[in-house]
Amino acid sequence: MVAARITVNGRETPISPAAPHTTALDFLRERGLTGTKEGCAEGECGACSVLVARPGVDKPTDWVAVNACLVPVAALDGQEVITSEGLATVGESGTPTALHPVQEEMAVRGGSQCGYCTPGFICSMASEYYRPDRCAHPDPADGSDSEHGPNGFDLHALSGNLCRCTGYRPIRDAAFAVGTPAEDDPLAQRREQSPPAPVATAYIRDDSAFLRPSTLADALRLLRERPDAVVVAGSTDWGVEVNIRSRRADCVVAVDRLPELRELNVASDSIEIGAAQTLTEIERRLDGRVPLLAELFPQFASRLIRNSATLGGNLGTGSPIGDSPPVLLALEASVVLAGADGQREVPLCDYFTGYRQSVRRPGELIRAVRVPLPLSPVTAFHKIAKRRFDDISSVAIAFALDIEDGTVRKARIGLGGVAATPIRALATEAALEGEPWTAQTVEAAARVLRGEGTPMSDHRASAVYRSAMLGQSLLKLYAQTTEAVSS
């Protein structure tokens, strides 16, 4: 097997002698690429942002910004990475001769003061700069709103980047000023070629290993042999454990590049979403086909996190405050579990068995999430948190209702943050079904919804507040639907 190597700013370099748990951030900084910074080590500040060549949605390759502080450098074996230092034009002597257009705009518009966060902003901005359809969908009216520029720049691309001294207006000005890549821009031209193919990785040092199998069958055999292995995809959860809690694993198995886990299939009766597709990929490939998921995605962490995080990982951790389970419960989704002995499908409402526990057996992987069709026409996702974006839920509520001739024919409600597991609000569903969609019905059902689950008090919210928000969310849904009908 070929030794693990990574291409950084056009130069191939071996990963050895880095330990298997070494993050891409530490690897890069140890090699003098100190523009990549550590700010939080949790994927919340974006100071560590770098670009990775990934399979594209609209072109063969997308330049995707990721948190280098979370991804193990071994997970980038065989892949191409661009840091802030690699964006500038370099002369024959190897020294920079011209700033990248994104760097130029940040400089001339005062987008940097101390400069600590600037390289991360620039990499996230460059990812959006190279998004193929950025200028293909101009905004209405004057081409500008609070979150989109006249150049098509989506400010959500910077939602995972924090600045403590410059202030965001100059950064916003720079983002809205960048043009389109020149025809001879090498990174723009690179999008027309396929990204590096996944490589099988067996990186072993000091009795610890980072392994990337080539196929699902290989992965399942490996997990049967190593039931103690930690399975990772985007590493947005495991990376925090490594950085903040100093956790180490004897064996880490990466499944993010397995082709069997990266499919998206739309049939007449269901949509099957591969468990290892990133949330950004799902969002762009579905393109609003599932409105409830489309409402979830912008509220799920930040773009930087969504560029790596997966549905399989979010369900696999079993967290009671994960954002996707309430939505998938409302959609009546099921998980397809694959093991060495075969596959089985489990309704998500039967998947969770306790706090961070599930029916998934040792050696099994979540291969896909299956959403049945047709979809309920009335849906909503309400996330109660301290910040509008990039925050952890205090409470999350997802609704999917069939309302015909003014009567609720079917109701599915998923809840997060009010029990040891994500749950369905079964009593509230029963209180709604068969009843007229009126203020009286909704007020009665809201009282039932306030009693669902076993909410607790912690630093994010009190139990009383969580219960109150449950009831309020149903009242809000009713107000929104009646307003839509009247308008």
Side-chain angles (χ1 to χ4, degrees), residues 425-478:
L426 299 175
T428 308
E429 293 173 2
L432 288 170
E433 291 182 343
E435 298 296 327
W437 184 242
T438 62
Q440 184 178 3
T441 296
V442 171
E443 287 170 3
R447 290 193 291 270
V448 177
L449 187 52
R450 292 187 188 99
E452 298 271 18
T454 55
M456 60 179 288
S457 296
D458 60 16
H459 64 284
R460 292 192 184 94
S462 68
V464 172
Y465 177 80
R466 286 186 162 103
S467 295
M469 289 302 98
L470 292 179
Q472 193 65 26
S473 67
L474 184 56
L475 299 177
K476 178 180 179 180
L477 174 66
Y478 177 73

Side-chain angles (χ1 to χ4, degrees), residues 9 19 43 72 76 98 116 137 143 162 202 238 240 320 396 443-444 460 487:
N9 298 334
L76 299 175
Y116 195 93
H137 301 89
L162 301 181
W238 176 246
V240 176
E443 287 170 3
R460 292 192 184 94
S487 61

Side-chain angles (χ1 to χ4, degrees), residues 209-287:
F210 184 97
L211 309 176
R212 170 176 279 118
S214 299
T215 66
L216 177 60
D218 290 341
L220 296 175
R221 281 193 295 269
L222 178 58
L223 292 176
R224 184 162 57 180
E225 296 168 1
R226 298 292 302 266
D228 62 321
V230 172
V231 178
V232 300
S235 291
T236 56
D237 186 75
W238 176 246
V240 176
E241 295 292 316
V242 170
N243 292 337
I244 304 301
R245 297 180 178 86
S246 299
R247 288 191 60 187
R248 302 290 182 263
D250 293 335
C251 180
V252 172
V253 176
V255 299
D256 57 310
R257 306 297 293 279
L258 294 180
E260 299 92 337
L261 272 63
R262 291 189 45 77
E263 299 175 349
L264 193 152
N265 299 310
V266 179
S268 60
D269 61 347
S270 67
I271 297 175
E272 187 171 288
I273 304 168
Q277 289 190 89
T278 69
L279 300 184
T280 294
E281 289 172 328
I282 298 169
E283 179 182 19
R284 291 179 176 167
R285 287 171 179 166
L286 285 179
D287 194 24

Side-chain angles (χ1 to χ4, degrees), residues 47 77 117-118 133 149 189 347:
D77 178 22
C117 69
T118 305
D133 63 344
Q189 294 175 342

Side-chain angles (χ1 to χ4, degrees), residues 18-39:
H21 68 266
T22 301
T23 64
L25 166 66
D26 288 340
F27 176 86
L28 294 170
R29 290 186 61 80
E30 288 169 359
R31 280 150 185 79
L33 297 170
T34 52
T36 309
K37 305 289 198 301
E38 179 179 297

Side-chain angles (χ1 to χ4, degrees), residues 50 55 69 74 151 370 391 417 426 459:
V50 298
C69 75
N151 58 356
R370 192 170 288 158
D391 200 3
L426 299 175
H459 64 284

